[in-house]
Amino acid sequence: MRKWLPLITVSLGTFMLLIDVTIVNVALPDMATDLHSSFSSLQWVIDIYALALAALLLGIGAFSDRVGRRPVYIVGLVVFAVASLASGLAPSTTVLIVARGVQGVGAAAMYATTIALLSTSYEGRDRGVAFGVWGAINGAAAAAGPILGGLLTEGLSWRWIFFVNLPISVVAVALAVLVLRRDEPKRTGRVDIPGVIAFTISAGAFTYGLTRASEAGWGSAQTVVMLLVGVVALAAFVAIQARTSQPLIDLALLRRAAFSAVLVAAFVFSLSAFAYLTYISLWLQSVRGMSPIQAGAAFLPLSLAALFVSLSIGRYLHAPSTRRWAISGGMALIGIGALLEAHLGAGSDWKSVAIGLLITGIGVGLVSPTLASAALAAVPQQVGGMASGALNTMRQLGYALGIAGLGVILQSRIGHILSSTPGVRHSGTLAKAVAGGQSRQVLHATPAPTRGALDHAIHAAFASGLNGTLLVAGIAGLAGAAIVAVALRPAAAEPAPAAAAEPTPAAAEPTPAAGPAPTSRQAPAQHAPAGVQRSAAGQTNR
């Protein structure tokens, strides 16, 4: 039993990471009511966590190579726990957003070291068993997240979705100190701090610009300035990577069509499969009147389908002959699932999205465990860690930017429908409140004679907004499927190098149904030539 304690330690941290992605969506309406949150504030409660992961994953991974993975993991656990406590005690939306950002920093420290810790703790068959169990725990956390979130929110309060992390963190820290091996630094030299800063500014500016677009419009000075800052910072990041001797991502990898296509697929995957779930949750609770538990249960078709498919056939999806069709076919199913949901009307309920969520879940089960092996097979083995880190980052960015971008569509269409409804005044302000999960408060403040008509208008407007987000998600999924089908053709892909990386046979792992999650690991470390050294961040995949 003692030999499996490192697996338990690492799995506890991973479990918390996944729970904090899936558990928050169900609690958003109660957060909005308790903290009087705006629509953009709700977006940031989710986005800031994903952004911290995306922006810091590569940098913290490179840092852990220099100081050791064990201390970075332990510090990440402590930071995550303290930030969880602050999130649960937050007296305002602003404090909650800041605390969630710090929580994301702690999560990035854990996430960047998890797989490396397992790799150094086990060898041979035990390593395969450890990764298989770790993957199953990922899927179990994903399936349990919505239900646990509903139970805590409805039975206690939304604050307990964060407090629940505290006892788990205490146990995980104690185990980490006692059972994880002390590891020596693997690399020397400086971390590419300018690159981390430029990438963080770019990702944050793009997300803020999209979020402001839903509030102030595309032509507002804030929106335009922030989007321009995002472009400039991205250009600076590319320039820095081209000049530094130890880049976070070797730009030469992007010239490989197969690798670039997988990165695009990773971005689109998170956007198409997960980003709109936030708004489905708001609709089910604030408009359709479902309880948090009921809303969490509505997502089970996606969660359970993804878990079942990943566990059942994931081990067969890593052969070169099947990667192309697993990813492109899965992306197509994700797109089709979203399009099947995009028929909502004023009278629609959870049953209207159940079949689409089920089909999307099957697609997620195909794509998630296959993306990592496709990325690793497209690059030389010595930069496999860097490639995996880039893949993780794109998945997080797809989720964060997807929530922000789809939110613009949602609020715009809600405002359009309400403005064209006779008798509705101040449609712009009303649209912000409705999109922010405050439909019930709006109706309670409405005179009784007009309440029924406004209630019907809100139902129709939110359904129309969701249809817009689902159409975009569906089209993006189908486009991603086409890109992968073309770029991963044997004639189009680069010849596999002699040392091409392949994941271990146990590499198939499920993904959460409410957000991106780790799905594979890579081959043992190799010494890399100058300028293309591996980052430990790449040893996790989300």
Side-chain angles (χ1 to χ4, degrees):
M1 176 64 185
R2 180 176 175 78
K3 76 174 181 178
W4 299 116
L5 288 178
L7 171 62
I8 294 172
T9 304
V10 169
S11 296
L12 284 175
T14 304
F15 184 83
M16 288 192 298
L17 287 170
L18 301 189
I19 284 293
D20 261 62
V21 174
T22 61
I23 210 171
V24 172
N25 286 344
V26 179
L28 286 177
D30 279 36
M31 289 181 184
T33 301
D34 193 17
L35 300 178
H36 308 288
S37 303
S38 66
F39 179 58
S40 61
S41 295
L42 290 181
Q43 290 176 302
W44 275 109
V45 169
I46 299 175
D47 266 355
I48 195 66
Y49 184 82
L51 271 176
L53 274 170
L56 300 176
L57 182 62
L58 289 173
I60 290 181
F63 178 73
S64 71
D65 285 347
R66 291 159 174 79
V67 301
R69 284 72 175 266
R70 178 178 178 269
V72 171
Y73 181 77
I74 293 173
V75 170
L77 279 169
V78 173
V79 171
F80 188 90
V82 172
S84 295
L85 177 62
S87 297
L89 296 174
S92 67
T93 308
T94 300
V95 174
L96 177 59
I97 292 172
V98 172
R100 282 281 286 171
V102 177
Q103 191 182 38
V105 175
M110 290 187 284
Y111 195 34
T113 54
T114 296
I115 300 304
L117 289 170
L118 281 182
S119 295
T120 57
S121 297
Y122 300 100
E123 297 179 354
R125 180 177 177 81
D126 284 348
R127 180 179 291 177
V129 172
F131 281 128
V133 172
W134 179 79
I137 289 173
N138 288 350
I147 293 296
L148 180 59
L151 288 170
L152 291 173
T153 301
E154 191 170 339
L156 296 170
S157 82
W158 64 264
R159 297 180 183 277
W160 279 90
I161 68 174
F162 300 112
F163 292 152
V164 74
N165 292 329
L166 299 178
I168 300 175
S169 297
V170 170
V171 173
V173 169
L175 285 174
V177 171
L178 293 173
V179 307
L180 291 182
R181 295 179 182 176
R182 297 181 182 274
D183 57 322
E184 296 297 327
K186 307 300 181 184
R187 294 167 59 184
T188 59
R190 295 179 299 176
V191 177
D192 180 17
I193 298 298
V196 173
I197 293 174
F199 187 80
T200 303
I201 292 174
S202 178
F206 277 125
T207 304
Y208 185 78
L210 290 173
T211 303
R212 288 302 302 164
S214 65
E215 294 280 330
W218 288 102
S220 70
Q222 281 186 320
T223 301
V224 173
V225 168
M226 293 310 297
L227 292 178
L228 286 176
V229 169
V231 171
V232 172
L234 180 59
F237 173 74
V238 172
I240 292 169
Q241 298 310 289
R243 292 174 177 271
T244 184
S245 62
Q246 297 189 12
L248 297 175
I249 175 69
D250 184 358
L251 299 181
L253 297 179
L254 302 181
R255 292 196 288 269
R256 294 171 172 263
F259 180 65
S260 293
V262 173
L263 292 186
V264 171
F267 183 93
V268 174
F269 170 64
S270 294
L271 184 154
S272 298
F274 304 119
Y276 67 81
L277 298 183
T278 299
Y279 306 122
I280 294 278
S281 179
L282 286 173
W283 171 64
L284 291 174
Q285 295 183 69
S286 68
V287 178
R288 296 304 310 172
M290 294 178 69
S291 70
I293 293 177
Q294 292 171 328
F299 293 118
L300 285 180
L302 192 157
S303 298
L304 296 180
L307 175 61
F308 177 79
V309 172
S310 291
L311 289 178
S312 299
I313 64 176
R315 70 183 64 182
Y316 306 112
L317 299 179
H318 302 285
S321 59
T322 60
R323 288 192 199 104
R324 176 191 177 199
W325 296 114
I327 298 176
S328 61
M331 291 294 296
L333 287 174
I334 289 170
I336 291 170
L339 292 177
L340 287 176
E341 298 171 55
H343 64 280
L344 304 177
S348 298
D349 58 15
W350 68 270
K351 295 186 290 292
S352 301
V353 299
I355 297 299
L357 289 175
L358 178 64
I359 293 174
T360 294
I362 296 172
V364 168
L366 289 170
V367 174
S368 187
T370 317
L371 276 174
S373 60
L376 293 173
V379 301
Q381 185 178 15
Q382 64 265 28
V383 291
M386 183 181 287
S388 294
L391 184 75
N392 297 338
T393 300
M394 291 300 288
R395 291 185 70 163
Q396 293 301 321
L397 284 180
Y399 188 55
L401 295 179
I403 288 174
L406 295 182
V408 175
I409 298 170
L410 177 78
Q411 184 166 317
S412 174
R413 293 194 62 155
I414 290 176
H416 175 72
I417 297 298
L418 291 178
S419 66
S420 60
T421 302
V424 173
R425 302 173 60 187
H426 310 296
S427 59
T429 302
L430 186 59
K432 293 178 182 178
V434 171
Q438 299 180 21
S439 298
R440 283 175 289 182
Q441 293 90 323
V442 168
L443 290 173
H444 289 160
T446 302
T450 60
R451 189 175 299 160
L454 179 59
D455 186 32
H456 183 272
I458 288 174
H459 277 68
F462 213 115
S464 176
L466 282 178
N467 287 340
T469 65
L470 291 164
L471 282 171
V472 171
I475 293 171
L478 294 178
I483 291 171
V484 171
V486 172
L488 294 189
R489 287 182 303 173
E494 296 84 359
E502 289 290 346
T504 60
E509 285 140 18
T511 194
T519 56
S520 73
R521 56 241 140 240
Q522 64 184 68
Q526 302 289 328
H527 293 291
V532 292
Q533 289 94 336
R534 290 182 56 181
S535 166
Q539 294 178 334
T540 60
N541 217 346
R542 192 170 189 172

